[in-house]
Amino acid sequence: MEPALPVPPPLEQRPSAPAQPPASGGSAVPSRLGWLDALRGVAALLVAFDHSSYAFMAESREQLMPLVNIGRYGVLVFFLASGYVIPASLERRGCVRSFWIGRVFRVYPLWAAVVGSVLALDLLGITDMPARFGGLSTATVAVAHVTLLQELLGTPSVVLVLWTLSYEMAFYLLVVALFTVRLHRRSATVAVVLGVLAAMSVAAGALPPASALSGAIGVGPLVTIASTALVISVCCASSGSSVLRVFGAVMGGVLALVLVPFNGTVPLWEGLVILSVMFLGTAVHRAESGESTWPRAACTAVVVLMCAVGSAYGHGDGAHFARRGWITAFLLAVVTFGAGLALRRRRFPRGLTGLGTISYSVYLVHPVLLALSAGTIGRWRRDNLVLEAAFFVVLVPLSVLTHRRIEVPGLSWGRKARRIRST
């Protein structure tokens, strides 16, 4: 999960000059985005509950997870929301360089604080970080994480939830590539193609093992190749030369299309479904803004839904995958997003929209809080509602604090950096 930027108004309402995004997701965001804030707030709480249930609600979790994967439910809602707004932010600015600057200052400040906090807990002996990386060098782990692609490079994430940022980064690379070669308005087609490929991979039995590329050539060499390609891609795609822009953008798109199917930690079909879901969110936005039609968006949704459910069903049950739980989570995410979209013109409770404002903090901070609790009071084998409630009582104010002290200043720095680069 990663925070989204505000959505531009419909084409006929856009100002002649692109407006700058507000400093936060609070009152500065137009009311028409209240539904997205509400969805992100709910999604963040769902993911936090899913992870906290390991520690405080083990009995309920054991009964619930086979029925519905709460964590995937929340994550898929986040992916739909990201697909809805991220391409719009690039197209509104019309500048790849500004887009990447905005992403850097939006994502990395809180990311750095959270990763630093987890490393500090490890130094204090509260967590056991080295055991998670199987002898990988510190340099390899560090470089992989800085790219945000660590989950697609055969490197376990320092913080578990960072895996979604790897798929967000792959989505960014594809969005930039499509925008640069002027195919960005084909969002519905891209969503359908990715969904169909996912279903075909399951039907054909083309399911390579997790992290297949890093297993074949080694984690270190893959990290070196991929990180070099990423730097070249971003720099060239942000340059003033049209030739370099196309070269860099296409390189980034190819990198994403190689890593997601062939080196993800989730099955090939699920990686493709994740990207398909994000582009479905984009297709919905294009229908709302008048760039496409609602029937086209609806048909896209049906195809993506059928491919995703069919892929999960064909994949079957396994030791680490509950088919019914995943399918239920996917359907609930689509229904939730659809309900929010249908109610988008209504005013949502301030509490929900406020949670949406701090959703990135809730998402990244809650694993740190859980690591601290696991290293001090441990995990409980039986349900403990008091500790579960206490966890959220601490988490929400802490997330408000990190949002105000880390996220908001980062956004301010990003706006200043974009102004400097544009002069």
Side-chain angles (χ1 to χ4, degrees), residues 107-108 111 115 133 136-159 162-163 165-167 169-170 173 211 214 218-228 230-231 255 259 263 265:
V107 175
Y108 279 100
W111 174 91
V115 170
F133 296 105
L136 294 176
S137 70
T138 301
T140 296
V141 174
V143 171
H145 276 76
V146 170
T147 65
L148 298 183
L149 291 170
Q150 77 288 334
E151 198 73 12
L152 300 174
L153 296 176
T155 306
S157 297
V158 170
V159 183
L162 294 181
W163 76 271
L165 291 186
S166 293
Y167 287 90
M169 175 59 81
L173 292 171
S211 303
S214 55
V219 175
L222 181 63
V223 169
T224 300
I225 294 169
S227 59
T228 302
L230 179 65
V231 171
L255 178 65
L259 292 180
N263 213 59
T265 54

Side-chain angles (χ1 to χ4, degrees), residues 66-120:
L67 302 177
V68 54
N69 189 324
I70 297 295
R72 277 297 193 272
Y73 175 20
V75 164
L76 287 168
V77 172
F78 275 128
F79 283 145
L80 281 164
S82 291
Y84 186 93
V85 296
I86 293 299
S89 71
L90 169 59
E91 294 164 25
R92 174 171 55 83
R93 292 193 180 98
C95 176
V96 171
R97 180 173 58 189
S98 293
F99 171 77
W100 281 121
I101 291 173
R103 291 292 84 196
V104 166
F105 284 96
R106 186 66 180 98
V107 175
Y108 279 100
L110 183 61
W111 174 91
V114 166
V115 170
S117 297
V118 171
L119 293 177

Side-chain angles (χ1 to χ4, degrees), residues 107-412:
V107 175
Y108 279 100
L110 183 61
W111 174 91
V114 166
V115 170
S117 297
V118 171
L119 293 177
L121 292 177
D122 181 62
L123 289 175
L124 294 172
I126 296 176
T127 61
D128 187 15
M129 194 66 62
R132 297 186 57 190
F133 296 105
L136 294 176
S137 70
T138 301
T140 296
V141 174
V143 171
H145 276 76
V146 170
T147 65
L148 298 183
L149 291 170
Q150 77 288 334
E151 198 73 12
L152 300 174
L153 296 176
T155 306
S157 297
V158 170
V159 183
L160 180 62
V161 297
L162 294 181
W163 76 271
T164 60
L165 291 186
S166 293
Y167 287 90
E168 291 273 358
M169 175 59 81
F171 180 60
Y172 297 164
L173 292 171
L174 288 173
V175 166
V176 168
L178 291 171
F179 176 79
T180 303
V181 299
R182 300 183 179 182
L183 293 176
H184 53 288
R185 300 193 187 279
R186 304 289 182 88
S187 308
T189 301
V190 174
V192 167
V193 169
L194 290 169
V196 170
L197 287 175
M200 289 176 60
S201 70
V202 175
L207 297 175
S211 303
L213 281 179
S214 55
I217 68 175
V219 175
L222 181 63
V223 169
T224 300
I225 294 169
S227 59
T228 302
L230 179 65
V231 171
I232 293 173
S233 168
V234 172
C235 291
C236 289
S238 304
S239 72
S241 166
S242 59
V243 174
L244 287 179
R245 283 201 303 270
V246 172
F247 170 76
V250 171
M251 174 183 283
V254 170
L255 178 65
L257 290 176
V258 169
L259 292 180
V260 170
F262 303 113
N263 213 59
T265 54
V266 301
L268 183 154
W269 67 267
E270 189 175 6
L272 293 174
V273 165
I274 287 172
L275 294 178
S276 179
V277 162
M278 286 193 272
F279 279 106
L280 171 59
T282 309
V284 170
H285 176 262
R286 296 205 186 283
E288 190 194 8
S289 64
E291 300 173 38
S292 183
T293 65
W294 283 113
R296 182 176 177 81
C299 290
T300 302
V302 170
V303 173
V304 171
L305 188 150
M306 292 176 61
C307 290
V309 172
S311 298
Y313 188 85
H315 181 75
D317 289 306
H320 303 289
F321 183 83
R323 175 172 59 189
R324 181 178 179 182
W326 193 96
I327 292 174
T328 304
F330 179 84
L331 294 177
L332 283 174
V334 173
V335 170
T336 301
F337 186 79
L341 181 67
L343 299 173
R344 65 190 180 280
R345 304 195 187 282
R346 299 197 175 191
R347 184 177 297 276
F348 283 78
R350 182 172 296 182
L352 277 180
T353 57
L355 281 172
T357 300
I358 64 170
S359 60
Y360 185 43
S361 280
V362 171
Y363 190 79
L364 286 193
V365 170
H366 83 266
V368 182
L369 192 57
L370 286 173
L372 181 60
S373 69
T376 52
I377 65 175
R379 293 181 177 180
W380 295 68
R381 294 183 179 180
R382 296 185 178 276
D383 289 354
N384 192 319
L385 287 172
V386 173
L387 287 178
E388 181 71 16
F391 169 74
F392 283 97
V393 167
V394 174
L395 173 63
V396 173
L398 182 60
S399 298
V400 171
L401 181 64
T402 56
H403 171 74
R404 291 178 178 176
R405 300 302 182 186
I406 300 175
E407 290 188 68
V408 173
L411 287 166
S412 178

